Amino acid sequence: MASGHFFCAIFYFACLCSASLANNPKVNFREKEKKILDQILGAGKYDARIRPSGINGTDGPAVVRVNIFVRSISKIDDVTMEYSVQLTFREQWLDERLKFDDIGGRLKYLTLTEANRVWMPDLFFSNEKEGHFHNIIMPNVYIRIFPYGSVLYSIRISLTLACPMNLKLYPLDRQVCSLRMASYGWTTADLVFLWKEGDPVQVVKNLHLPRFTLEKFLTDYCNSKTNTGEYSCLKVDLLFKREFSYYLIQIYIPCCMLVIVSWVSFWLDQGAVPARVSLGVTTLLTMATQTSGINASLPPVSYTKAIDVWTGVCLTFVFGALLEFALVNYASRSADRAADIHRENMKKKRREMEQASLDAASDLLDTDSNATFAMKPLVRHPGDPLALEKLRQCEVHMQAPKRPNCCRSWLSKFPTSPFKKVPCLGRGQCSRSKRIDVISRITFPLVFALFNLVYWSTYLFREEEDD
């Protein structure tokens, strides 16, 4: 009897539990997702080969809105004229065949990882050189289907894109690199790409490039017409500014230092031939090596770049300093030969005068002892060299005073001859080599400063015009 009551109590408790479960059923949303996917994507219900209808179910073109997120830009190569970018690419369109019941707003969207289950736009990157998807650990792609039939496709890809560059202002240039996306097979009558409203392109905040700065980016349309029809196209123009500080430290300052070092030879003695030759040749070879290293990192273009003008002029200055020493050496050797000729003439005249005095003494000894010595005439003969020298001195003193010349008075401070006891011949032939050095000390820095003024004002002004 007691056991019967016990079983009745258990039965009553089980009935109460079942009633409570019936009143509060637990919904398995994952099972609901499976049923909905089987319902909308089942065999014979959805064909991924057919494109969606147009806006409001019309027969117009399907509209696909595009949005990209630039994750990183790894490199911008000047030689191959390309750049590498990693981005998250998103497309969104409306496919009314994929509508489903959201269970009172509890089911926000369905998620797929297989892109071949639904219709996909045939978008491709027209300026792509190389690209790949990311599959670690799983393929970085998803498709979300919303209750009202909207489809969102997102994928992470890495691309190497062509970027034609104009290097006339290199390294003071700005480059525009484009990212072009177009339909491959569907014409604008069937498929149209539009940028997503609001913010179609996002760029990661901590984007850092070694030699460039991303100044801004612009979105635009680039529809193309071919023999097979007109195709929808989108593009993003990325404006990169080259960082000049790297080139200032690596190229411009070293070139200036080499040019200034080549001027040291102007302050060395004319007789220090090994020192001046070695200095000139060393700076010339170093400048040539620097130029070849710069050109090796750039493509062989048919026009002249700003860096070519700079290195060419610097190389010309270094080469000019070496030629200046050759000119100084030639002038010095010419002065030495003139001094040697002058010495020989003076020695010859001295010997003639000694011989003449010896002849006069012998004539006096041969005369009669009672004869008186002849006195030197007070008036010199016109051909007498001493008379000519006195006459020149008088003419010099009688000449009218000339107007002072600043340049000549400054250069007259350097009349030193390698042979101080030998007077210079002509118009300062002995000091000509010294004056060449003195003029070069002033001329080379002034001309180089003028070149810097013209160079920087020209290319910086052209850069502002391009902006």
Side-chain angles (χ1 to χ4, degrees):
M1 192 66 157
S3 62
H5 289 293
F6 177 73
F7 282 114
C8 289
I10 293 176
F11 178 75
Y12 179 72
F13 181 74
C15 290
L16 289 176
C17 291
S18 61
S20 62
L21 290 175
N23 292 331
N24 299 310
K26 289 186 178 179
V27 179
N28 190 342
F29 289 101
R30 305 290 78 81
E31 282 294 328
K32 288 290 185 179
E33 286 185 15
K34 179 182 180 305
K35 290 181 180 180
I36 294 173
L37 287 174
D38 292 338
Q39 180 183 355
I40 63 177
L41 298 177
K45 295 183 179 180
Y46 183 87
D47 193 347
R49 298 172 297 176
I50 307 302
R51 72 169 180 86
S53 58
I55 299 176
N56 297 326
T58 62
D59 196 29
V63 177
V64 178
R65 298 191 179 274
V66 177
N67 161 245
I68 61 174
F69 174 66
V70 179
R71 291 180 172 272
S72 66
I73 299 175
S74 58
K75 69 172 183 177
I76 301 176
D77 197 340
D78 298 320
V79 178
T80 57
M81 292 193 178
E82 63 185 21
Y83 72 104
S84 299
V85 60
Q86 182 186 125
L87 51 88
T88 298
F89 175 76
R90 305 185 187 99
E91 294 176 310
Q92 193 166 6
W93 65 94
L94 182 63
D95 194 343
E96 295 183 352
R97 297 172 295 175
L98 299 176
K99 289 182 178 180
F100 63 90
D101 184 13
D102 60 353
I103 314 176
R106 296 182 181 181
L107 193 59
K108 294 183 178 180
Y109 54 80
L110 304 175
T111 302
L112 292 177
T113 56
E114 299 175 357
N116 57 355
R117 298 289 301 274
V118 296
W119 177 86
M120 292 290 299
D122 60 343
L123 182 141
F124 78 105
F125 297 92
S126 58
N127 60 334
E128 173 209 351
K129 286 187 174 182
E130 185 181 354
H132 67 273
F133 301 123
H134 293 266
N135 298 318
I136 299 175
I137 299 176
M138 292 293 291
N140 299 165
V141 58
Y142 68 80
I143 298 174
R144 290 177 181 174
I145 303 175
F146 294 89
Y148 52 91
S150 178
V151 182
L152 173 63
Y153 173 73
S154 177
I155 187 172
R156 187 166 72 100
I157 53 179
S158 292
L159 300 170
T160 299
L161 304 167
C163 179
M165 298 182 182
N166 185 356
L167 300 174
K168 288 184 178 180
L169 298 180
Y170 177 90
L172 300 167
D173 57 334
R174 285 177 168 86
Q175 301 298 335
V176 178
C177 296
S178 299
L179 174 64
R180 295 174 176 266
M181 300 161 286
S183 173
Y184 190 81
W186 299 96
T187 62
T188 53
D190 297 315
L191 179 62
V192 173
F193 289 109
L194 297 176
W195 286 112
K196 184 180 178 181
E197 296 179 358
D199 195 7
V201 179
Q202 299 95 37
V203 180
V204 65
K205 293 183 179 180
N206 57 347
L207 179 64
H208 296 290
L209 296 172
R211 288 185 293 178
F212 287 90
T213 300
L214 178 61
E215 288 193 329
K216 60 182 178 179
F217 52 87
L218 303 172
T219 57
D220 201 357
Y221 296 91
C222 53
N223 293 2
S224 59
K225 292 183 179 181
T226 64
N227 294 333
T228 56
E230 182 180 359
Y231 298 90
S232 182
C233 175
L234 303 176
K235 74 171 182 177
V236 184
D237 290 332
L238 304 173
L239 179 60
F240 295 102
K241 180 182 179 182
R242 198 182 299 271
E243 288 291 341
F244 181 68
S245 58
Y246 168 81
Y247 300 93
L248 179 66
I249 297 173
Q250 297 293 328
I251 295 177
Y252 283 90
I253 292 179
C255 289
C256 284
M257 294 174 64
L258 286 174
V259 173
I260 295 173
V261 167
S262 67
W263 299 341
V264 175
S265 62
F266 304 152
W267 301 86
L268 296 179
D269 188 69
Q270 304 170 16
V273 176
R276 298 188 68 163
V277 170
S278 60
L279 181 63
V281 173
T282 302
T283 53
L284 183 62
L285 292 178
T286 307
M287 191 66 214
T289 305
Q290 181 88 347
T291 304
S292 61
I294 295 169
N295 293 329
S297 61
L298 293 173
V301 294
S302 59
Y303 48 83
T304 303
K305 303 180 289 294
I307 195 67
D308 295 334
V309 176
W310 175 265
T311 55
V313 172
C314 290
L315 188 63
T316 303
F317 270 92
V318 174
F319 183 67
L322 187 60
L323 290 183
E324 189 271 348
F325 169 67
L327 181 62
V328 167
N329 191 26
Y330 174 77
S332 178
R333 287 187 288 108
S334 299
D336 292 343
R337 287 194 298 268
D340 292 338
I341 294 173
H342 184 73
R343 282 200 198 93
E344 293 296 330
N345 292 334
M346 293 298 293
K347 289 180 181 179
K348 185 176 180 181
K349 288 181 180 180
R350 191 178 296 109
R351 285 195 298 268
E352 290 178 356
M353 292 177 64
E354 291 176 355
Q355 186 65 33
S357 61
L358 291 176
D359 293 341
S362 61
D363 291 340
L364 290 174
L365 292 174
D366 291 340
T367 54
D368 187 62
S369 58
N370 294 329
T372 58
F373 291 98
M375 296 180 66
K376 293 182 180 180
L378 295 175
V379 180
R380 301 285 182 182
H381 295 287
D384 196 346
L386 295 177
L388 290 176
E389 185 177 357
K390 295 292 185 180
L391 183 61
R392 288 196 193 98
Q393 293 178 358
C394 294
E395 289 178 356
V396 169
H397 288 291
M398 292 174 64
Q399 287 178 355
K402 293 183 179 180
R403 196 173 180 181
N405 192 331
C406 297
C407 296
R408 288 189 177 181
S409 60
W410 178 71
L411 290 175
S412 63
K413 298 178 181 179
F414 309 96
T416 55
S417 170
F419 303 97
K420 294 184 179 180
K421 295 182 180 181
V422 181
C424 296
L425 302 178
R427 300 179 62 184
Q429 187 175 0
C430 297
S431 61
R432 188 177 302 167
S433 60
K434 183 66 176 178
R435 291 187 178 184
I436 292 173
D437 273 342
V438 173
I439 294 174
S440 299
R441 295 173 190 172
I442 306 300
T443 304
F444 273 73
L446 285 179
V447 176
F448 189 68
L450 180 62
F451 161 71
N452 273 270
L453 179 63
V454 174
Y455 179 86
W456 295 113
S457 60
T458 300
Y459 283 102
L460 292 178
F461 180 72
R462 288 180 61 182
E463 184 184 9
E464 292 177 358
E465 282 186 346
D466 292 345
D467 294 343

